[in-house]
């Protein structure tokens, strides 16, 4: 295990941006302190063929000039909040309307476009980077000063672990995740990737993708991935593509899970495979929801090495609290209270069969 640090670029105000690369014997990942961004995940198969399974950009400028959150952290509340507002303890909070009438990923001031403090973490078993910052009271319209820490760690077993922790001095909604765009073949459509999810339900949503509060059974529908199925098999039946929150068994075991406050056991959520390369990714989490998104609106974007991305050239599995939870009293709470510490955790476990 080893980690290196190099210069990635400079912001217009002169701030230097760093790129960290973590390697074990079989794979590596890179990340930057600009947006807590995962910039690459490179797998090395048994024939020594390297595949970067993460979409993104070759230079810092690419991340500066995109709105699509490639590999970045998103918050203070990932996903959508309906009507760009919520009421907490009798007070109404107004947020940015950056997704039609709703708020998406925190609004116009995104965590993907700011610098984070970085600390290298090294041991014999795992290496990585811990990013941190203080989100001040009123940022993005949310209450409370919130101390945030985002940690990415690679171990000797090819597990990339993402820790999201938060502490606050006032009650506040909190929902942090990473918006990585994966392609296990490295390029091209992901329609032939197979997916199996340990999930019997999705959240029913309105035409503007706000949950209604109801859970819908996936059995017998195009949303059913309880058995291994190609992403593209029924993609055309769901409009532009998948962009839905699946319910994990963390919710099934404890319907009051909400913001995780303990380093409890993780649940197996998904297995994704690419038959061409033999690359596989397993997803484990302690979160109740996971947004499955199939890159429905990335057509024409110029990515790494000048490659032009097309719709459905990637998939995202964003573990999180349920969308619009601040406005859904029947959903597990997303409110973090003073004296509590959020301890969200997701593992992306990689392997190759070739």
């Amino acid at each position: 295990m080893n980690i290196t640090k190099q210069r990635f670029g400079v912001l217009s105000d002169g701030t230097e941006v760093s790129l960290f690369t973590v390697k074990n014997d079989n794979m590596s990942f890179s990340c930057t302190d600009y947006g807590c961004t995962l910039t690459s995940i490179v797998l090395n198969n048994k024939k020594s063929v390297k595949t970067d399974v993460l979409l993104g950009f070759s230079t810092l400028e690419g991340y500066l000039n995109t709105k699509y959150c490639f590999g970045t952290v998103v918050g203070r509340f990932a996903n959508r909040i309906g009507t760009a507002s919520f009421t907490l303890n009798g007070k109404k909070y107004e947020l940015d309307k950056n997704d039609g009438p709703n708020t998406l990923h925190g609004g116009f001031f995104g965590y993907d476009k700011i610098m984070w403090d970085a600390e290298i973490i090294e041991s014999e078993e795992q290496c990585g980077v811990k990013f941190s910052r203080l989100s001040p009271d009123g940022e993005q319209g949310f209450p409370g000063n919130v101390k945030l820490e985002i940690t990415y760690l690679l171990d000797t077993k090819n597990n990339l672990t993402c820790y999201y922790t938060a502490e606050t001095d006032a009650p506040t909604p909190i929902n942090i995740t990473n918006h990585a765009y994966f392609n296990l073949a490295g390029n091209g459509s992901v329609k032939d990737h197979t997916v199996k999810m340990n999930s019997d339900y999705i959240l029913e949503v309105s035409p503007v993708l706000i949950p209604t509060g109801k859970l819908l059974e996936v059995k017998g529908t195009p949303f059913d991935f309880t058995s291994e199925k190609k992403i593209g098999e029924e993609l055309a039946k769901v409009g532009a593509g998948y962009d839905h929150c699946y319910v994990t068994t963390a919710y099934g075991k404890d319907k009051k899970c909400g913001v995780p406050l303990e380093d409890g056991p993780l649940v197996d959520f998904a297995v994704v495979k690419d038959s061409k390369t033999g690359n596989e990714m397993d997803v484990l989490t302690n979160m109740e929801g996971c947004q499955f998104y199939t890159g429905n609106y990335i057509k024409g974007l110029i990515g790494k090495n000048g490659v032009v991305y097309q719709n459905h050239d990637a998939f995202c599995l964003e573990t999180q609290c349920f969308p619009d939870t601040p406005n859904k009293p029947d959903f597990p709470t997303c409110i973090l209270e003073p004296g509590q510490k959020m301890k969200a955790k997701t593992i992306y476990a990689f392997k190759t069969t070739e």
Side-chain angles (χ1 to χ4, degrees):
M1 298 291 300
N2 69 84
I3 182 169
T4 59
K5 176 183 176 182
Q6 65 188 76
R7 178 173 165 169
F8 193 44
V10 180
L11 301 181
S12 59
D13 64 0
T15 302
E16 185 168 306
V17 179
S18 297
L19 184 71
F20 304 86
T21 300
V22 184
K23 295 182 180 180
N24 64 18
D25 291 338
N26 302 304
M27 65 173 286
S28 68
F29 81 91
S30 296
C31 59
T32 175
D33 43 11
Y34 181 74
C36 289
T37 304
L38 291 170
T39 61
S40 71
I41 299 174
V42 179
L43 306 184
N44 187 17
N45 72 10
K46 296 175 183 179
K47 298 178 182 178
S48 297
V49 176
K50 296 183 182 298
T51 305
D52 186 348
V53 300
L54 206 61
L55 271 62
F57 304 96
S58 302
T59 65
L60 174 62
E61 285 67 31
Y63 295 98
L64 294 175
N65 296 316
T66 184
K67 63 179 181 178
Y68 291 97
C69 300
F70 280 87
T72 71
V73 70
V74 288
R76 224 187 251 193
F77 196 91
N79 215 314
R80 294 169 176 86
I81 294 179
T83 69
S85 65
F86 65 94
T87 299
L88 178 61
N89 296 331
K91 181 178 178 179
K92 186 174 183 179
Y93 294 87
E94 300 285 352
L95 311 174
D96 293 338
K97 294 182 178 180
N98 67 324
D99 183 51
N102 308 310
T103 299
L104 176 64
H105 298 329
F108 295 117
F109 182 79
Y111 286 174
D112 61 312
K113 292 293 189 288
I114 55 179
M115 290 292 297
W116 293 66
D117 295 328
E119 176 187 347
I120 290 175
I121 298 174
E122 289 184 276
S123 72
E124 291 184 2
E125 295 298 321
Q126 57 184 11
C127 288
V129 184
K130 179 169 69 177
F131 299 104
S132 61
R133 71 179 294 265
L134 179 68
S135 174
D137 178 50
E139 185 173 77
Q140 300 176 330
F142 292 95
N145 296 291
V146 178
K147 179 184 176 182
L148 296 164
E149 292 183 349
I150 315 296
T151 306
Y152 304 135
L153 292 174
L154 178 65
D155 65 22
T156 57
K157 298 180 180 180
N158 299 339
N159 297 317
L160 176 56
T161 302
C162 304
Y163 294 96
Y164 312 102
T165 69
E167 296 176 271
T168 182
D169 62 1
T172 189
I174 192 80
N175 190 24
I176 309 293
T177 193
N178 185 281
H179 207 302
Y181 288 70
F182 296 101
N183 184 318
L184 298 184
N187 58 72
S189 173
V190 297
K191 291 180 181 179
D192 285 337
H193 284 32
T194 61
V195 176
K196 183 178 184 299
M197 294 186 196
N198 189 15
S199 174
D200 294 324
Y201 300 92
I202 60 170
L203 301 186
E204 182 183 62
V205 293
S206 72
V208 291
L209 302 181
I210 300 300
T212 65
K214 297 180 180 179
L215 274 61
L216 297 179
E217 287 193 52
V218 299
K219 185 177 182 180
T221 76
F223 301 99
D224 189 354
F225 286 91
T226 54
S227 298
E228 188 175 275
K229 183 175 73 176
K230 288 185 177 181
I231 289 176
E233 185 172 325
E234 297 186 273
L235 186 72
K237 298 179 182 179
V238 293
Y242 294 97
D243 192 4
H244 298 79
C245 187
Y246 281 73
V247 180
T248 79
T249 54
Y251 177 80
K253 291 180 180 178
D254 181 3
K255 291 182 172 58
K256 295 182 180 179
C257 50
V259 176
L261 303 176
E262 300 179 357
D263 289 323
L266 305 182
V267 299
D268 295 317
F269 173 67
V271 179
V272 187
K273 299 177 182 179
D274 172 58
S275 61
K276 295 178 182 177
T277 60
N279 291 331
E280 177 181 323
M281 184 180 81
D282 298 359
V283 181
L284 303 89
T285 188
N286 63 352
M287 300 300 291
E288 71 221 21
C290 185
Q291 191 80 6
F292 178 46
Y293 174 59
T294 48
N296 306 328
Y297 306 104
I298 61 173
K299 184 177 181 179
L301 292 178
I302 300 175
K304 292 178 183 176
N305 304 311
V307 174
V308 179
Y309 296 144
Q310 304 297 333
N311 292 345
H312 311 137
D313 276 2
F315 67 92
C316 303
L317 288 169
E318 308 158 55
T319 57
Q320 57 191 260
C321 294
F322 291 159
D324 200 36
T325 292
N327 294 313
K328 296 292 187 294
D330 292 336
F331 283 175
T333 183
C334 66
I335 305 302
L336 186 68
E337 300 283 349
Q340 296 179 334
K341 185 174 184 178
M342 181 186 78
K343 297 180 180 180
K345 182 179 179 181
T346 295
I347 296 177
Y348 298 105
F350 295 94
K351 62 185 74 171
T352 182
T353 58
E354 293 186 3

